[in-house]
């Protein structure tokens, strides 16, 4: 079977791929890990190579606008399971997490610390996970008696470079935020670098809550408070669905599993001054 991720240098996707591979090995499946380099999963050489192996199934973690190549596997009768992100326009089994709840937990926690100006920094605005996160963010802000300002909601690439530039933009805001919820720890890493270079003290001047809870989060200074995603369960459930499809278990409805997330509190967020 194949595991397809956008970029293996992004810690979250590397870790997710490893956990899917471990779950597959326990099920007796050999795996190959591929990357789209964030260019979309299009019809072309990568797909032709995978079809030539051949692969029994595909676990697909896509964060691109164009993933029409997935249809080529479906046309070949190969089951595809979307993990982390659904694929628009295609009927696929999927395993994802409650990103809206994660955003809500992050904002509620920051509000409980007394923060009144809270920003959101996220990956691509069109991603289903970020649409859900934005809804959870704005809902939690209103429940806390705060106005979710659109000018303090920044969207861009899932990259450290974007995180770096995002902090610079937030520092220029008319009402400078005292806290920020970041939808990917990869982006938060860039914000940490920018804070160091620009002389912004974390968490005294800016509290940060990330999402993904990558393995290095606990080793940052300050240790990053983050929304923990149940990656082991995501991997196990994806392999379970794949095995059921390979066993010929047909269903008129695609599976759509949404798993809960939890807030892992560390030291990157503190009470507002």
């Amino acid at each position: 079977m194949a595991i397809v991720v956008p970029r293996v240098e992004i810690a979250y996707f590397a870790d997710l791929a490893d956990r899917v591979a471990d779950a597959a090995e326990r099920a007796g499946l050999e795996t190959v890990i591929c990357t789209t380099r964030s260019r979309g999963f299009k019809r072309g050489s990568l797909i032709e190579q995978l079809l030539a192996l051949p692969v029994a199934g595909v676990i697909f973690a896509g964060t691109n606008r164009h993933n029409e190549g997935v249809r080529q596997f479906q046309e070949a009768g190969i089951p595809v399971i979307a993990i982390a992100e659904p694929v628009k326009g295609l009927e696929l089994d999927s395993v994802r997490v409650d990103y809206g709840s994660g955003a809500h937990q992050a904002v509620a926690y920051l509000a409980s610390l007394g923060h009144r100006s809270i920003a959101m920094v996220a990956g691509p605005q069109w991603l289903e996970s970020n649409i859900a996160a934005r809804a959870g963010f704005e809902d939690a802000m209103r429940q806390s008696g705060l106005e979710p300002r659109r000018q303090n909601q920044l969207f861009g690439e899932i990259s450290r470079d974007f995180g770096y530039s995002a902090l610079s933009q937030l520092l220029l805001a008319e009402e400078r935020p005292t806290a920020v919820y970041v939808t990917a720890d990869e982006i938060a890493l860039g914000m940490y670098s920018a804070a160091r270079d620009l002389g912004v003290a974390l968490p005294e001047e800016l509290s940060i809550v990330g999402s993904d809870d990558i393995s290095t989060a606990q080793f940052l200074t300050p240790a990053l408070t983050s929304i923990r995603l149940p990656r082991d369960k995501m991997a196990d459930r994806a392999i379970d669905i794949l095995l059921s499809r390979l066993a010929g278990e047909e269903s008129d409805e695609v599976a759509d599993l949404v798993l809960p997330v939890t807030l892992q509190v560390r030291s990157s967020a503190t009470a507002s001054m």
Side-chain angles (χ1 to χ4, degrees), residues 4 6-7 17 34 48 82 96 102 132-133 136 190 196-197 204 223 227 240 270:
V4 181
R7 288 184 177 272
C34 307
E48 297 298 336
R96 52 197 176 95
R196 182 183 62 246
D197 292 347
E204 294 82 6
I227 301 297
D240 288 344
T270 190

Side-chain angles (χ1 to χ4, degrees), residues 12 84-85 95-100 129 132 211 228-231 234 257-261:
Y12 167 70
E85 291 283 344
V95 179
R96 52 197 176 95
V97 301
D98 193 341
Y99 292 103
S129 58
S211 181
R228 175 172 291 175
L229 310 188
R231 289 188 286 279
M234 293 167 69
L257 302 183
V258 182
L259 303 177
V261 298

Side-chain angles (χ1 to χ4, degrees), residues 58-267:
V58 177
I59 305 296
F60 179 69
T63 59
N64 311 290
R65 279 188 180 275
H66 304 293
N67 297 301
E68 66 271 19
V70 172
R71 195 185 304 275
Q72 194 167 347
F73 287 99
Q74 292 183 309
E75 292 168 352
I78 297 172
V80 181
I81 316 300
I83 191 169
E85 291 283 344
V87 178
K88 288 185 176 180
L90 294 177
E91 291 292 317
L92 290 182
D93 295 313
S94 64
V95 179
R96 52 197 176 95
V97 301
D98 193 341
Y99 292 103
S101 171
H104 200 287
Q105 291 178 52
V107 172
Y109 175 65
L110 290 169
S112 75
L113 294 175
H115 293 281
R116 310 303 294 170
S117 180
I118 304 172
M120 173 178 168
V121 176
Q125 188 170 352
W126 48 265
L127 272 182
E128 291 293 330
S129 58
N130 290 328
I131 292 172
R134 182 182 218 171
F137 172 85
E138 294 188 344
D139 183 60
M141 289 284 284
R142 294 188 180 97
Q143 286 188 20
S144 300
L146 307 175
E147 181 63 31
R149 299 174 180 273
R150 286 296 173 101
Q151 60 266 38
N152 278 355
Q153 298 178 37
L154 306 180
F155 297 86
E157 296 181 343
I158 303 174
S159 70
R160 300 183 190 187
D161 286 344
F162 171 59
Y164 194 102
S165 64
L167 180 60
S168 300
Q169 292 182 61
L170 292 178
L171 295 179
L172 297 174
E174 183 177 346
E175 182 181 344
R176 179 170 163 174
T178 62
V180 58
Y181 162 60
V182 189
T183 64
D185 286 351
E186 189 74 14
I187 298 172
L189 292 176
M191 298 185 75
Y192 267 63
S193 294
R196 182 183 62 246
D197 292 347
L198 298 174
V200 177
L202 304 179
E204 294 82 6
E205 293 182 73
L206 183 69
S207 289
I208 297 179
V209 175
S211 181
D212 297 339
D213 196 29
I214 60 176
S215 60
T216 55
Q218 61 184 310
F219 301 113
L220 297 174
T221 304
L224 179 61
T225 294
S226 186
I227 301 297
R228 175 172 291 175
L229 310 188
R231 289 188 286 279
D232 281 332
K233 289 184 179 179
M234 293 167 69
D236 289 341
R237 297 294 83 76
I239 294 300
D240 288 344
I241 295 172
L242 176 59
L243 291 175
S244 71
R245 297 305 185 197
L246 293 176
E249 297 178 16
E250 299 295 336
S251 173
D252 293 335
E253 295 184 1
V254 296
D256 182 23
L257 302 183
V258 182
L259 303 177
V261 298
T262 56
L263 178 67
Q264 179 63 47
V265 175
R266 297 192 180 95
S267 54

